[in-house]
Amino acid sequence: MPLPALLPAPLPAAASSAVSEAYARLAEVFPGLRAEVLTDGESAPDGPGWVGAHELAAGGGALDTFLAWDHAQVLRDYGQQARPDVVASFGLHRYAWPACLLVTVPWFLHRRVPRIPVEDVAFQRASGHLTLRVREFTCLPDDPAAALPGARVVADEAALRAEVLASVAEHLGPVLDGFGPRMRRGKRALWGMATDEVVEGLWYVAHLLGEERRAMTELEALLPGTTKPYVGTAGFRELTGPDGESLPTRDRASCCLFYTLRPQDTCVTCPRTCDADRIRKLTPAP
């Protein structure tokens, strides 16, 4: 499949941010998640259900409240209690997956990479609503957004990919520190989870956008397996379906621990899922 031309998006006259258009497109294809860029005069919401990313990074009472949702969900849906480290793993996934999209979607759609330190992001998980303040972003020299306040121009695609990884690491690093003591995992395992969130979030959204193959190519270039603190490559590979069709899959760098609740029902990209089961799960029912 030929890759579409990567042209920078024009800036509408009333654009609130260089990344707002990308978040609007995300909401169109995935209505369960909404990202809102705050203007200079707006304060981050702090009402019921809202949590600041910096509060999750602190690892205190706000994180306890956040994880209570996951504990209740497991009891409700599976009729059993999960181990505390499993609950923490679920909670981290449910935050990190959308948080990574704040960086990867603008990069994928418009070649713009926002910086989002934990102090500038808040999350309302029940409504799938994120707010963020974008003080700085990176773009390419031919992007009209290069003239905007806060823009930082880099020379080429390789430099922009480095900015993607740096932005995600800047945001997720403190969050991993907050969750880490509850998860009984070392640094490498935590960054393996972060690697999976970067890949699987954009892969999923790109499928909704009709650009799955381009996303796979982009992610393979983004994560060649040599960039610390990330762990492993994008991990994509192809399986062959019963009628000879190609079935894209990937091997996760980490495990979400869902098998501790349902050993017989592992995720399709789980290291525990054999290729025969992957083909069965990926093949549409007749």
Side-chain angles (χ1 to χ4, degrees):
M1 176 186 300
L3 300 183
L6 297 176
L7 297 176
L11 289 175
S16 60
S17 165
V19 296
S20 294
E21 186 181 351
Y23 298 150
R25 185 74 179 109
L26 171 62
E28 287 176 8
V29 299
F30 187 33
L33 182 63
R34 181 163 64 98
E36 177 187 358
V37 180
L38 300 176
T39 63
D40 289 342
E42 289 182 285
S43 299
D46 60 358
W50 283 96
V51 64
H54 68 285
E55 295 178 289
L56 298 179
L63 181 55
D64 291 334
T65 301
F66 187 81
L67 294 177
W69 190 97
D70 299 277
H71 176 73
Q73 179 265 323
V74 169
L75 282 175
R76 181 181 68 248
D77 292 352
Y78 304 111
Q80 60 180 298
Q81 288 195 357
R83 298 186 330 232
D85 61 308
V86 174
V87 170
S89 294
F90 288 3
L92 175 61
H93 164 66
R94 288 162 176 162
Y95 176 75
W97 194 91
C100 288
L101 292 173
L102 296 178
V103 177
T104 59
V105 168
W107 165 67
F108 182 70
L109 290 179
H110 300 143
R111 289 311 196 243
R112 296 168 188 162
V113 180
R115 286 283 182 156
I116 51 166
V118 291
E119 295 79 13
D120 288 340
V121 178
F123 184 39
Q124 220 293 359
R125 66 184 307 169
S127 62
H129 187 184
L130 290 146
T131 66
L132 66 157
R133 198 176 305 280
V134 179
R135 306 176 194 271
E136 179 183 329
F137 69 95
T138 306
C139 62
L140 295 172
D142 59 350
D143 190 330
L148 292 177
R152 191 164 68 85
V153 176
V154 294
D156 53 28
E157 292 283 353
L160 200 63
R161 287 193 294 270
E163 290 293 324
V164 172
L165 297 179
S167 180
V168 172
E170 178 187 32
H171 184 82
L172 281 191
V175 175
L176 296 180
D177 289 342
F179 276 84
R182 302 163 189 258
M183 293 179 60
R184 296 166 50 189
R185 302 194 195 194
K187 282 282 189 183
R188 179 176 174 82
L190 290 171
W191 279 103
M193 291 187 69
T195 303
D196 288 329
E197 304 301 355
V198 170
V199 176
E200 297 204 346
L202 184 59
W203 187 28
Y204 178 79
V205 170
H207 171 74
L208 300 179
L209 290 165
E211 296 197 71
E212 179 181 11
R213 291 290 177 174
R214 179 166 78 86
M216 294 168 66
T217 300
E218 300 272 14
L219 288 164
E220 286 171 337
L222 181 70
L223 290 161
T226 56
T227 308
K228 294 183 178 181
Y230 299 93
V231 176
T233 68
F236 292 114
R237 58 192 180 91
E238 301 283 336
L239 299 175
T240 302
D243 296 322
E245 68 272 33
S246 176
L247 301 173
T249 189
R250 72 175 296 264
D251 295 314
R252 289 178 57 90
S254 68
C255 179
C256 71
L257 304 182
F258 182 70
Y259 77 91
T260 62
L261 298 175
R262 290 290 185 273
Q264 73 284 1
D265 190 20
T266 55
C267 306
V268 72
T269 57
C270 177
R272 296 170 174 267
T273 305
C274 69
D275 283 356
D277 285 343
R278 292 184 188 219
I279 291 171
R280 178 178 54 81
K281 292 171 181 282
L282 292 169
T283 302

